[in-house]
Structure formats: structure tokens, C-alpha cells
Amino acid sequence: MLAYRISISGAAAQLCDIDVPRPAKGQVRVAIKACGLNFADLLMQKGTYQDTPPAPFTQGMEIAGIIDEVGPDVTHLNPGDRVAIYSGQGGLAEYGVFDADRAIPLPDSIGFEDAAAIQIAYGTSHIALDHRARLQPGETLLVTGAAGGVGLTAVEIGKLMGATVIAQARGADKLAVAQAAGADHLIDASEDLRIRVKDLGGADVVYDAIGGDVFKAAFRATNPEGRLLPIGFAGGDVPQIPANHLLVKNLTVIGFYIGGYLTFRPQIVQDSFETLFRWHSEGRIKPHISHVLPLSEAEKGLQLLRDRTATGKVVITP
């Protein structure tokens, strides 16, 4: 089978021809129909992601497909079942072997591409805003990088939760995408973020995927008792947070990493995904997928993330 792999740490990923794996105890083998790409895939290529597997490994963190074989002692899943799996690796391939307890059955109403696109981006925003930040109806949510893979879902979910959403992104086209997802106010990345947000009454919750100077500006525009979620650092710089300002304004900075919950509270992730798939079936959410590419163009898909030319998700279809 074909798989997009990092064979040696630090070396470029390549499309390789490898043996089809067999499931061991507690595992299932899935014929992969779709795999969502994530910024973390780029960090894995550089070895800087916190959960980079040891080489060799196949890239691709979230998949949807059809089970074609179950391992010993797996009784709750069967060949032919449609499932989604947040795997962390192994998704950019024609087949993959995954732990059965991570597989979530898919309703017939959701296609494989949407299922692959929902898990990490929507799961991150849903758990961050609901479980961690406790976003309340009527509060103001500021989302930076609002047209990106996770930012766009934060706009959509924030609006579903009853917040007034301020979206910051670069350029009219990306702002239009954020507006279509439900943003109430739009701020171009060329504008002074702090002044614009202050003029709109400040932010009660900040969902920041950029870091660096953008986080600093958002921090200064946060209302007293506000909560800040540093979700990622696509801008490159990890912000340093002035603790004295936290005290003066009674602010809370909330750490959140969805992968960590798979280790210490996996049910939080499972419950979130089931909620999101139900919302999709009800027509309440719809992932924005800007590109769907074959496995042979996996590197092209990742380049779209590097160049920040994609809006929403990029999905690979093995």
C-alpha cells in the first residue's frame, strides 16, 4: 500500500510503498477514505511537535474510513463499520491500524471528508470554549487567525454558543469566510487589533491561534475577568505572559491541548466528537474544506498550510 512517511528523523517525508498492516489485540484495520491535515503535521516534519512519534512513522492525525478487519478481542466493532478516528499518526495511507477504543461510529448522514475535517479542528474549539473557557451566551469572543483550520471552527462554535464573535484574519477573502461562518465583527490583520477590539467593547474570551504580537495585542484588549486560550503559535513566537497584568485585570490564561485529553480524560474527547457529529447531522455545523487532494499530492496539501493559502481544512483522500 502507499503511505506518506517520515522514514528518518529530520528527513523529508515521502510517499512510500509498504506492507499492509494487520491489526493486533484491541486494534482495527481501516480502509482510509479521508485524512485531515493539520498545522501539527508540519511541526512533526521538523520534530518540534510535542507528540512527534519516533521515526519511521506515517503522517496524518485524523481519519475517516471503513473497518475491514478487527483484531482479537474487539467485539463492539465489525468489518464494514464506518468510523472516525483521531489517531495522531498513520492517516496518510491507504490502510491503517488503530486502537479500537478510539474509533467512533459515523452516522450515515456524514461523509468521510467532513468526518475527517471535523475531529481536531472542531474538537479543539468545542472543548476549549465549552469545557475550558466556559464561554457564556452574550459574551464577546475574539478569534485570531479566524479563517484557518481551527480559527474558523471557533467562530462557528462561538456563535452557536451565543457569543458575539470578533474575527481577525488577513485580507478580504479570508474575512469573508469568517463572516460566512457567523462572525459579527471583522478585523483585518493590517489593523491595530487592540484599538479595534477596545472600540467594540473588549473581549471576554480570546481564542488565539497566532501567538507573538497578535497575542500581546489581544491580551491588552481583554476585559477584566477575561479568559485567554493560547491555542497555537502559527505566527512563530510563543508569547510571554506578564503575570502582573493578570493580577491587575483578574485575567485567566487557560492552557489547552486536545491530545493531552486522550491520555488523562479520553472520554471528554469522545463525548465532544459525538456531540459534533450530532450537530453535523442536525445541520448546525458544516466544515469548510478548501482543498480535497489525492494521497499523491499530500505534500502539496501541507504546502498550502505552510503558505497559509488554505481556508478551513485541507483533506487528503487515499
Side-chain angles (χ1 to χ4, degrees):
M1 70 172 193
L2 294 177
Y4 189 73
R5 292 173 62 81
I6 293 177
S7 299
I8 302 173
S9 296
Q14 294 180 322
L15 197 61
C16 304
D17 191 353
I18 64 173
D19 292 337
V20 176
R22 295 293 305 274
K25 183 177 180 180
Q27 294 182 325
V28 295
R29 186 172 70 195
V30 177
I32 300 170
K33 302 301 181 182
C35 177
L37 297 186
N38 294 273
F39 188 75
D41 291 310
L42 301 179
L43 299 180
M44 284 189 190
Q45 291 189 346
K46 297 188 292 186
T48 57
Y49 188 60
Q50 59 264 32
D51 280 342
T52 301
F57 69 94
T58 297
Q59 290 206 263
M61 300 177 68
E62 55 185 338
I63 68 103
I66 301 172
I67 293 175
D68 82 329
E69 185 176 346
V70 300
D73 82 349
V74 175
T75 58
H76 65 293
L77 296 167
N78 298 288
D81 287 352
R82 303 170 74 252
V83 294
I85 302 175
Y86 174 14
S87 57
Q89 60 173 299
L92 289 174
E94 294 176 300
Y95 292 87
V97 166
F98 309 103
D99 290 343
D101 59 7
R102 289 199 182 186
I104 299 177
L106 288 175
D108 292 338
S109 60
I110 185 169
F112 293 120
E113 292 170 12
D114 278 7
I118 281 175
Q119 295 169 75
I120 293 177
Y122 278 90
T124 293
S125 293
H126 181 235
I127 300 171
L129 294 175
D130 184 34
H131 178 69
R132 296 293 285 145
R134 307 293 183 186
L135 179 67
Q136 299 299 308
E139 289 190 313
T140 296
L141 168 67
L142 168 63
V143 180
T144 68
V150 292
L152 197 59
T153 64
V155 171
E156 193 173 359
I157 290 176
K159 195 63 180 174
L160 276 175
M161 293 177 68
T164 297
V165 180
I166 304 172
Q168 183 252 24
R170 184 173 299 280
D173 291 344
K174 290 187 176 183
L175 288 172
V177 171
Q179 186 174 38
D184 299 284
H185 305 285
L186 307 175
I187 300 175
D188 192 274
S190 63
E191 300 179 81
D192 189 311
L193 181 65
R194 182 184 69 85
I195 291 175
R196 284 294 316 280
V197 175
K198 281 285 192 182
D199 287 345
L200 292 168
D204 300 306
V205 174
V206 172
Y207 183 103
D208 174 51
I210 304 300
D213 291 339
V214 171
F215 180 88
K216 293 176 184 176
F219 184 96
R220 296 175 66 192
T222 304
N223 292 329
E225 293 193 327
R227 290 90 74 202
L228 298 102
L229 292 153
I231 295 297
F233 316 110
D237 294 330
V238 177
Q240 303 303 303
I241 299 165
N244 57 324
H245 290 187
L246 294 178
L247 300 181
V248 171
K249 294 177 69 176
N250 291 286
L251 301 179
T252 302
V253 178
I254 302 171
F256 174 69
Y257 163 52
I258 188 173
Y261 276 85
L262 292 173
T263 302
F264 65 89
R265 291 190 70 184
Q267 195 60 46
I268 294 288
V269 179
Q270 297 287 93
D271 291 347
S272 175
F273 287 177
E274 289 173 3
T275 296
L276 293 167
F277 291 146
R278 185 180 73 252
W279 283 358
H280 183 280
S281 296
E282 296 168 352
R284 301 178 69 188
I285 61 173
K286 173 64 178 175
H288 177 85
I289 301 173
S290 64
H291 296 79
V292 177
L293 302 170
L295 183 59
S296 60
E297 296 184 23
E299 180 55 36
K300 177 181 176 180
L302 290 167
Q303 191 63 43
L304 290 168
L305 301 188
R306 289 190 194 95
D307 296 339
R308 300 187 197 175
T309 53
T311 57
K313 291 290 289 190
V314 177
V315 173
I316 302 299
T317 53

